[in-house]
Amino acid sequence: AQSVTQPDIHITVSEGASLELRCNYSYGATPYLFWYVQSPGQGLQLLLKYFSGDTLVQGIKGFEAEFKRSQSSFNLRKPSVHWSDAAEYFCAVGARNQGGKLIFGQGTELSVKP
Amino acid sequence: EPEVTQTPSHQVTQMGQEVILRCVPISNHLYFYWYRQILGQKVEFLVSFYNNEISEKSEIFDDQFSVERPDGSNFTLKIRSTKLEDSAMYFCASSEQTGGFSGANVLTFGAGSRLTVL
């Protein structure tokens, strides 16, 4: 069965520091991979996605993620965090031939220290 | 930027009451979804809907749940007789036709409707 694990429930980083949020997935074939962000009172906003091709994908707000098949990982990175990046981040996997059914990780809450 | 709109943002109801959550998907999208997130838990898939019928549903989506597209713009989730465990944030999402159900759909989510069952 497909599953997604985000090992870190809560991360705190200083503003201007680099960020890496971890995501591991379990799926029998190459999945579709997504990172969504949720700010308080907001919906889930797509940051970036991986379908195929280049394993390093760029997203909005300066985020990037790298698909590593050998590690079943899709970690999210940002070189310099801004206070406005404080939010909850969700990794999700979608299977081919299952349309929009996504399996989500439990989320990582990011706090940013001034 | 086009948005998925959900109403109400928060609803409080008594156990056993019927609840209807409403969604206005993005106008040119053809695929519609409901997900839910119980407090402190993962976001879970409930149901997908295309061409006026359910395409897929999870085991959570039992006979107490139903979805409908009553007109050209709204997409609703009805819970017939709410239980305490239905308390959650319910997210509506929609996606374009590109990729279809054999490919990858990129979902746009609404802000959610928080349901509290007392």
Side-chain angles (χ1 to χ4, degrees), chain A:
Chain A
Q2 302 150 36
S3 66
V4 178
T5 302
Q6 292 179 247
D8 304 305
I9 303 296
H10 190 190
I11 283 182
T12 300
V13 299
S14 297
E15 191 167 16
S18 64
L19 171 70
E20 182 168 29
L21 301 183
R22 295 182 290 166
C23 173
N24 292 96
Y25 67 89
S26 172
Y27 182 60
T30 301
Y32 301 128
L33 294 160
F34 305 84
W35 275 98
Y36 282 87
V37 61
Q38 184 182 27
S39 299
Q42 304 295 313
L44 296 163
Q45 182 184 22
L46 181 68
L47 281 177
L48 46 76
K49 62 186 183 293
Y50 172 78
F51 290 163
S52 64
D54 193 346
T55 56
L56 183 64
V57 293
Q58 304 296 320
I60 62 170
K61 304 185 181 187
F63 285 92
E64 67 177 27
E66 186 171 11
F67 170 58
K68 292 185 177 179
R69 184 192 305 273
S70 61
Q71 298 177 20
S72 298
S73 69
F74 188 58
N75 293 349
L76 182 71
R77 300 193 294 250
K78 186 169 184 178
S80 177
V81 168
H82 187 263
W83 64 266
S84 61
D85 293 325
E88 186 140 26
Y89 292 80
F90 294 93
C91 181
V93 61
R96 295 171 193 270
N97 300 317
Q98 288 191 17
K101 179 181 176 181
L102 300 179
I103 307 298
F104 282 84
Q106 65 205 69
T108 298
E109 185 179 354
L110 174 66
S111 298
V112 180
K113 291 190 299 187

Side-chain angles (χ1 to χ4, degrees), chain A residues 4 36 38 43 99-100 102 104, chain B residues 35 42 56 91 101-102 106-107 110:
Chain A
V4 178
Y36 282 87
Q38 184 182 27
L102 300 179
F104 282 84
Chain B
Y35 284 74
K42 297 184 179 186
E56 187 173 357
F91 292 105
F101 276 99
S102 62
V106 179
L107 275 61

Side-chain angles (χ1 to χ4, degrees), chain B residues 54-66:
Chain B
I54 290 174
S55 302
E56 187 173 357
K57 59 183 181 180
S58 71
E59 60 274 12
I60 303 167
F61 195 88
D62 61 21
D63 291 343
Q64 291 298 312
F65 291 90
S66 62

